[in-house]
Amino acid sequence: MRDTLLEIRGLSKSYPGVKANDNVSFTIQEGEIHALLGENGAGKSTLVKMIYGLVHPDSGDMLLHGEHYMPRKPSEARNLGVGMVFQHFSLFEALNVAENITLGMEQAPPRTELNAKIIEVSNAYGLPLDPNRLIGDLSVGERQRVEIVRCLLQNPRLLIMDEPTSVLTPQEVETLFKTLRKLSSEGVAILYISHKLDEIRSLCDHATVLRMGKVVDTCIPAEETARSMAEMMIGGELAMPTEREFTPGKTLLHLQNLTLKSLDPFGTSLKDVSLELRAGEVMGIAGVAGNGQDELLLALSGERPTAPSMVKLSGVAIGGMGPTTRRALGLLAAPEERLGHAAAPDMSLKENAYLSARVRQGLTKAGFTLFGKRDDFAREIVEKFDVRTPGIDNAARSLSGGNLQKFVIGREVLQKPNVLVVNQPTWGVDAAAAADIRQALRDLAAGGAAILVISQDLDELMEISDTFAVLAEGRMSKPRPAAGMSVEQIGLMMGGNLEESANA
């Protein structure tokens, strides 16, 4: 029997209009890999923020090694052996590995000593790092190594990981799992949050399931299926995507030698990207983050103009047109960064609905906003895409990440585009909501639209795509039928071996 490391007793936390956590209790044992499962808005983020000292509970208590534990700030949590690797990396690209690690330490040792320690620890856990490399020159997987090693240097007894595999290749995921299993064997407990339920089944010892802020179930993941765990989370039967026949129509989007220099000094420029996207087709674009995905979406949305002939919509050269004109013609886009790019954080949901849908939904007349029509459209998004929010007057930033994602995708889908480009459509979204979003995209394609899905989730792309290509270092492989592709082949292509598509 393992000793109890962390005991959570009746934690509750409320915000205006919502009870994020309601009398949550469970324990984590030393050396245990413990999954925290739940739909978007179930209270997972609030709970781990309380454990890490970012949020203080309204009531309840925690015990760490049997002693009262209630950190007032993250530094207190770290000093007591609790570390956290966030879903969004907190790294400065213009600084090197050692400099970034120094920023997260209360009392950093001399640089020579720190460099030696980084090399020693990173190699010991199969995450080799060069302390002198710039963060901006690292792959996403290498950046995650920096975040993990920064935690390991502080000798944590509990490591919290939030969606750690969302931007990794299959090969990088396997490396990460080896590291986590090694830590577990050394007695380090890991609290693991992920919507990838097959990963939970292979990695985690136990799982606690939250729904509407409450603990509703526990399980041993290896004894469950991904579907059964998803149904624990939603409290009902999980809807499965319907099969459909792919009958391609005429070419709606044509890219011809699309080349675009990245404005980000650490970004990736597009180099001679060519493809044809047909009516009724869902084309999946895989790739490790930072290989030109953002640049591709900017070029297609019209935020970054190109030579007119590089981008054609139904035969019309639109490369030099801006976003509003492209939207009017039927080309819509939903970017990866939902808060700040896809939605204005401090504006209400009804205002955010207006920003994107003003033209296609006819939300203005003679220069004046039709407020009733705008509000009806916002309510339609909330209802049809099950966006959990007190109302359309709430600010975008008040929603959980997954619920805001549902709102953003729903806003674009309901405008009935001819071509829809989406980047990471189900990023951070729970299994039930992800199934609904994928079904909505498939239904849109079945109605004659052309869909371009940019994603790092290979399972998602394998499920939804008719055709498939990989973007690596700004270059795109030749699109090919998705049927018959293996995850291993795709992983090699994502690593830069685009010839794998030809040899597969």
Side-chain angles (χ1 to χ4, degrees):
M1 292 289 293
R2 296 165 168 167
D3 293 332
T4 297
L5 175 70
L6 178 69
E7 184 176 356
I8 295 171
R9 296 178 170 180
L11 285 190
S12 294
K13 180 66 181 179
S14 295
Y15 296 101
V18 63
K19 192 156 192 174
N21 288 133
D22 186 358
N23 195 32
V24 173
S25 299
F26 67 95
T27 60
I28 301 173
Q29 310 302 315
E30 292 182 349
E32 176 187 4
I33 305 180
H34 193 111
L36 189 60
L37 303 180
E39 293 184 276
N40 298 119
K44 304 184 299 296
S45 294
T46 299
L47 181 59
V48 296
K49 285 176 181 177
M50 288 191 285
I51 297 172
Y52 193 54
L54 287 165
V55 171
H56 199 76
D58 298 330
S59 61
D61 193 17
M62 291 184 282
L63 299 179
L64 186 68
H65 300 295
E67 300 289 333
H68 172 73
Y69 171 75
M70 195 63 68
R72 293 170 296 176
K73 53 187 178 180
S75 60
E76 286 187 13
R78 291 194 295 268
N79 289 338
L80 291 169
V82 177
M84 183 166 178
V85 178
F86 291 90
Q87 181 176 3
H88 302 284
F89 302 154
S90 53
L91 300 170
F92 293 92
E93 293 187 335
L95 300 180
N96 66 27
V97 170
E99 289 165 340
N100 270 277
I101 288 176
T102 297
L103 292 174
M105 304 180 79
E106 296 293 318
Q107 293 181 323
R111 180 57 53 82
T112 303
E113 182 181 333
L114 177 62
N115 285 1
K117 195 69 175 174
I118 291 170
I119 294 170
E120 176 191 347
V121 171
S122 65
N123 286 331
Y125 287 94
L127 304 169
L129 285 172
D130 178 350
N132 296 310
R133 284 191 67 190
L134 281 180
I135 296 296
D137 293 334
L138 301 183
S139 70
V140 175
E142 289 170 324
R143 295 183 193 200
Q144 188 183 69
R145 294 181 189 179
V146 177
E147 294 277 16
I148 295 172
V149 169
R150 178 156 64 183
C151 286
L152 296 183
L153 286 171
Q154 299 175 50
N155 299 312
R157 303 315 300 160
L158 172 63
L159 183 60
I160 303 169
M161 304 205 74
D162 188 3
E163 297 286 351
T165 65
S166 60
V167 293
L168 302 182
T169 67
Q171 289 83 356
E172 289 172 328
V173 170
E174 189 54 42
T175 297
L176 173 64
F177 282 10
K178 287 179 182 177
T179 300
L180 297 184
R181 290 183 179 113
K182 178 176 172 59
L183 286 167
S184 172
S185 71
E186 295 172 353
V188 177
I190 296 158
L191 185 57
Y192 191 90
I193 300 173
S194 177
H195 291 302
K196 298 184 177 182
L197 298 179
D198 285 324
E199 290 183 0
I200 297 291
R201 291 184 65 247
S202 70
L203 180 69
C204 298
D205 303 308
H206 294 90
T208 295
V209 184
L210 297 181
R211 190 188 317 136
M212 304 296 288
K214 297 181 179 181
V215 174
V216 295
D217 217 332
T218 60
C219 69
I220 298 174
E223 297 177 356
E224 302 290 336
T225 65
R227 179 167 183 167
S228 69
M229 287 192 288
E231 291 177 345
M232 288 181 201
M233 291 159 54
I234 66 176
E237 189 173 349
L238 180 66
M240 301 303 290
T242 58
E243 296 293 328
R244 74 180 188 94
E245 292 292 330
F246 168 48
T247 305
K250 65 178 182 179
T251 297
L252 295 182
L253 179 67
H254 184 201
L255 305 185
Q256 185 65 45
N257 300 120
L258 174 61
T259 299
L260 182 69
K261 182 174 176 58
S262 178
L263 297 180
D264 183 344
F266 297 106
T268 301
S269 299
L270 298 177
K271 308 173 185 72
D272 295 321
V273 172
S274 297
L275 63 83
E276 290 189 18
L277 185 63
R278 298 159 292 181
E281 179 179 10
V282 179
M283 181 180 290
I285 305 294
V288 177
N291 274 269
Q293 292 94 330
D294 291 341
E295 289 77 8
L296 179 60
L297 186 131
L298 292 173
L300 294 177
S301 69
E303 295 172 72
R304 289 286 313 279
T306 65
S309 62
M310 288 183 177
V311 183
K312 291 182 179 179
L313 181 66
S314 298
V316 178
I318 64 168
M321 297 179 181
T324 302
T325 306
R326 296 192 193 195
R327 283 183 167 273
L329 292 173
L331 195 163
L332 276 60
E336 174 184 7
E337 185 191 355
R338 50 202 171 208
L339 201 60
H341 192 181
D346 295 317
M347 295 180 76
S348 67
L349 295 182
K350 61 188 182 185
E351 291 167 331
N352 272 288
Y354 177 83
L355 288 178
S356 165
R358 175 178 59 86
V359 174
R360 289 191 68 79
Q361 295 300 114
L363 303 183
T364 60
K365 185 176 182 179
F368 291 93
T369 300
L370 300 175
F371 293 108
K373 196 171 183 180
R374 175 202 66 182
D375 293 357
D376 287 344
F377 180 60
R379 290 190 191 97
E380 183 183 8
I381 300 168
V382 168
E383 291 168 6
K384 289 191 174 180
F385 281 79
D386 190 28
V387 179
R388 309 288 175 87
T389 175
I392 60 173
D393 292 312
N394 278 59
R397 71 163 69 252
S398 71
L399 272 64
S400 70
N403 277 296
L404 182 57
Q405 184 73 4
K406 288 191 284 184
F407 180 84
V408 167
I409 297 297
R411 180 185 64 186
E412 306 307 317
V413 167
L414 292 179
Q415 292 180 59
K416 297 181 174 59
N418 300 324
V419 175
L420 177 61
V421 182
V422 290
N423 192 356
Q424 294 287 88
T426 62
W427 179 46
V429 173
D430 61 69
D436 289 343
I437 287 174
R438 291 167 189 163
Q439 188 61 53
L441 295 177
R442 290 162 68 95
D443 290 345
L444 192 62
I451 317 291
L452 192 70
V453 179
I454 304 168
S455 178
Q456 284 123 50
D457 186 335
L458 296 188
D459 292 331
E460 172 171 81
L461 292 179
M462 299 289 275
E463 175 186 323
I464 198 174
S465 302
D466 302 306
T467 51
F468 182 90
V470 168
L471 194 62
E473 298 178 356
R475 298 186 182 277
M476 188 176 290
S477 68
K478 182 179 179 181
R480 55 170 290 170
M485 291 288 290
S486 72
V487 171
E488 290 74 19
Q489 290 168 340
I490 296 168
L492 290 172
M493 292 164 66
M494 290 169 66
N497 183 14
L498 296 184
E499 293 302 315
E500 181 65 31
S501 62
N503 299 331

